Amino acid sequence: MEPTEHYFEMHGKKYYYWLMGNPQKPALVLLHGFLGNHKGLVWLADLLKNDYSIIMPDFPGCGKSDVLPSVTYGIKAYADWLNSFLEIISIHKAIIIGHSFGSRVAAFFAATYPQKVSAMILITPV
């Protein structure tokens, strides 16, 4: 099973994400490293696809996704973007797995929006 490509628009920008797995299972969000994209975590999604509804966004400015609409970049901007993204796709609580830069976003997101994180796993956090 290959991930399916989707996108959403926010503030005049287009952002891409991929879905894989069972939509009836708990949500699992995979956050890639900087300047990577979702493709670096497809191997992990493939291992977990039977037990989770897997969501793999390309961060703003990475992969196919447009840049953030603001000139203010930083971990907070990415965490706020992740929050907006999850609201748009109606995910209210998820397991977050972050790799490298994605681990920094995951940690900040969990600290800022703890009610939205059921568990967090960090892979090679920076």
Side-chain angles (χ1 to χ4, degrees):
M1 169 197 294
E2 291 293 316
T4 59
E5 180 181 300
H6 303 266
Y7 72 89
F8 67 98
E9 293 185 32
M10 183 171 57
H11 307 298
K13 303 289 185 175
K14 191 181 270 189
Y15 303 102
Y16 288 82
Y17 65 100
W18 284 258
L19 300 177
M20 190 174 190
N22 185 339
Q24 303 305 314
K25 298 288 186 168
L28 176 69
V29 179
L30 299 179
L31 302 176
H32 64 79
F34 197 77
L35 290 164
N37 59 45
H38 77 283
K39 292 178 185 177
L41 294 172
V42 170
W43 67 272
L44 181 57
D46 196 49
L47 293 173
L48 301 171
K49 67 185 174 198
N50 294 326
D51 298 316
Y52 297 96
S53 173
I54 299 169
I55 303 152
M56 299 177 285
D58 277 353
F59 277 128
C62 297
K64 292 180 73 170
S65 290
D66 288 339
V67 297
L68 288 170
S70 168
V71 294
T72 305
Y73 275 73
I75 299 301
K76 180 181 180 337
Y78 283 99
D80 291 343
W81 174 88
L82 178 59
N83 182 57
S84 296
F85 164 58
L86 293 177
E87 286 179 1
I88 287 168
I89 64 169
S90 299
I91 300 297
H92 306 294
K93 194 166 203 163
I95 300 164
I96 308 290
I97 297 180
H99 171 252
S100 189
F101 174 77
S103 68
R104 293 185 74 189
V105 175
F108 195 93
F109 179 81
T112 307
Y113 304 101
Q115 73 281 6
K116 297 187 175 191
V117 179
S118 56
M120 181 175 56
I121 300 166
L122 307 178
I123 303 169
T124 59
V126 292

